[in-house]
Amino acid sequence: MVTAYERYNLHTTSEKFYIEACDDGADAVLAIDRVSNEMTLTGKKDVPPSANTRPICGIMGTIRLVAGMYLIVITKKRNVGSLLGQAVWKAVDFDIISYKKTTLHLTEIQMQDNRTFLSMINSVLTTDGFYFCTSYDLTHTLQRLANVSPEFQEMSLLERADPRFVWNGSLLREIQSQPELHRFALPVIHGFIVMKPCRINGKIFEWILISRRSCFRAGVRYYVRGIDSEGHAANFVETEQIVLYNGGRASFVQTRGSMPFFWSQRPNLKYKPKPLISKNTNHMDGFQRHFDSQVLIYGKQTILNLVNQKGSEKPLEQAFAKMVNGMENGLIKYVAFDFHKECSRMRWDRLNILVDSVAETQDEYSYFLVDTEGKVVSQQKGTFRSNCMDCLDRTNVIQSMLARRSIQSQLQRMGVLHVGQRIEEQADFERIYKNAWADNANACAKQYAGTGALKTDFTRTGKRTQMGLLMDGWNSAVRYYKNNFSDGFRQDSIDLFLGNYTVDETEGATPLRTQKDWKFLTLPVIMVVAFSMCIICLLTAGDTWTESLAYVLFWGAAAAITAAVIVFNGRDFVDAPKLVQKEKMD
């Protein structure tokens, strides 16, 4: 495999950026012309001694904004651990550097738009969870990497990476088109990675959890649901659990993703907006595409649909079941489990009903296992595709339980666990395991819903606690605020970062300048004034109690009516995305 360079210096002059590879024996320098934007490969002798020099950890890529091109570099990284001897890094700090030396050529409005776009890019970069490796392909599972052609082995990291999981794919387009520059490109994944050395029976093994978020149909909770016409599901995450022991390795893969048909749930100030299934689209086309690609990549599929089977979620469950039956595909099984109903009143032990009901299927699907001699002993023949509404809280709980069943069998076959020993009885490992899965839930939830996950007290401790319920209440309130009043900006940020929206310097106004109508400005002011007057009338007595009551009722009614009008027109008051108006918005 052609690895990427590991260490870099960035030399800056007024005409060019020189990115020097500092690995032992390397002489390569990537020169970027700050005027023509051209990228060329040159040597260390071409770097002017007068250049301003600083070390960097890697290149995220380049992006065009209103002021012209920008270079995005990783300035700080943290070691997460090593996978098969290769160091894995988390990118923790970035810098966005303008090619242009001044913004004097811009109008005031253009400068404002440019600042907004820069804050969007920053908002994505400061969302925790970007990982990279210069000498190992993080975008593929162990099983995919074991089944590749010799030609694949010769490719650069950038060429061989799975495009579903390369979050800086759009930023690396310039470098992608010039193969001689590929060693400067780091494919970066977004999601979660934890690597822990663990000990059971005095035997030390490495336990790893990797969640890869798809960059196709990426976005935030209420603005991105269902699928697009290509069959890409919203909030699609591939989670791989790996065990390395004594030269042997095992891997178990699961997926999660939004229910794969056309439905939406746009925020409208209500706590839970009603989900709507699109009436004028052919659902089966996208649905079929989605599962064709899943079967091609992962083999057989068992769908675990955890949504409520009553209320507003019921029509979605019925539609999903009907479409699976309509496909008549023997490789795809459908299991519906009403998580909230089954586990109501803290009866969390009832989750074992679901795990036991799919145990036979899980044994049939097996997992990927390589023995100490490097011989492939078993391959995973299918995956569980779990979903709830958000594919966060309920989904993560079930995935952690299925993964525990898998690791029980793997550790026995690898000789770590003795016959008859249960993984649940290994207190130290259980603590590491539960906390890591809860951290995985939090990472996925922050990236999609804007807050930590719910129900993580169960994942961490195996029990539901009063404190956990309080934390869930707090997170739900923060989610409500973010989903209604800041998610439009977050959605725009992701679309800009992933290249779903491209800035054209030559065009005049950007879509950022959409005018809100009078309701948006006037009604909240009226409501606040009326509510304030109501409070004042309560606190200051009038001449008679009837007069005071009349004032309180008048201002109270004015505040209530205005609030009702605002909620009725809820969609006009939420923060909606402005940049991409395609199928995401239905």
Side-chain angles (χ1 to χ4, degrees), residues 290-301 329 331-332:
H290 177 74
F291 280 108
D292 284 350
S293 78
Q294 295 304 290
V295 168
L296 192 68
I297 298 167
Y298 301 108
K300 293 178 178 176
Q301 296 284 295
N329 185 336
L331 299 175
I332 298 165

Side-chain angles (χ1 to χ4, degrees), residues 115-130:
R115 278 196 293 272
T116 305
F117 284 136
L118 278 171
S119 65
M120 284 178 180
I121 298 297
N122 264 314
S123 132
V124 176
L125 293 173
T126 51
T127 306
D128 202 30
F130 288 107

Side-chain angles (χ1 to χ4, degrees), residues 70-211:
Y70 282 82
L71 172 68
I72 305 174
V73 294
I74 303 167
T75 55
K76 216 158 134 196
K77 62 183 182 181
R78 195 176 74 238
N79 185 248
V80 183
S82 79
L83 182 48
L84 300 173
Q86 311 304 321
V88 175
W89 303 93
K90 182 176 192 177
V92 287
D93 221 341
F94 305 86
D95 204 358
I96 308 170
I97 310 160
S98 174
Y99 284 28
K100 296 259 186 356
K101 293 174 280 297
T102 171
T103 52
L104 292 175
H105 58 294
L106 302 181
T107 65
E108 185 55 43
I109 286 178
Q110 285 176 318
M111 276 163 77
Q112 278 175 16
D113 285 354
N114 200 61
R115 278 196 293 272
T116 305
F117 284 136
L118 278 171
S119 65
M120 284 178 180
I121 298 297
N122 264 314
S123 132
V124 176
L125 293 173
T126 51
T127 306
D128 202 30
F130 288 107
Y131 301 88
F132 66 94
C133 180
T134 59
S135 49
Y136 181 86
D137 187 349
L138 285 178
T139 66
H140 288 288
T141 62
L142 290 189
Q143 180 162 314
R144 288 203 292 271
L145 290 174
N147 293 319
V148 295
S149 64
E151 297 84 63
F152 183 88
Q153 300 282 18
E154 298 302 308
M155 290 178 178
S156 67
L157 268 181
L158 185 58
E159 287 171 296
R160 56 186 265 159
D162 187 331
R164 293 179 301 161
F165 305 124
V166 182
W167 268 65
N168 58 337
S170 168
L171 303 176
L172 289 173
R173 268 201 309 250
E174 304 278 320
I175 293 179
Q176 175 103 40
S177 61
Q178 295 177 254
E180 73 276 12
L181 304 178
H182 281 191
R183 292 196 67 187
F184 286 92
L186 299 173
V188 174
I189 69 165
H190 195 214
F192 178 74
I193 299 182
V194 65
M195 300 179 165
K196 296 279 184 190
C198 304
R199 182 199 293 263
I200 293 178
N201 298 329
K203 295 165 182 172
I204 294 171
F205 61 95
E206 186 82 11
W207 180 78
I208 298 165
L209 191 63
I210 303 178
S211 277

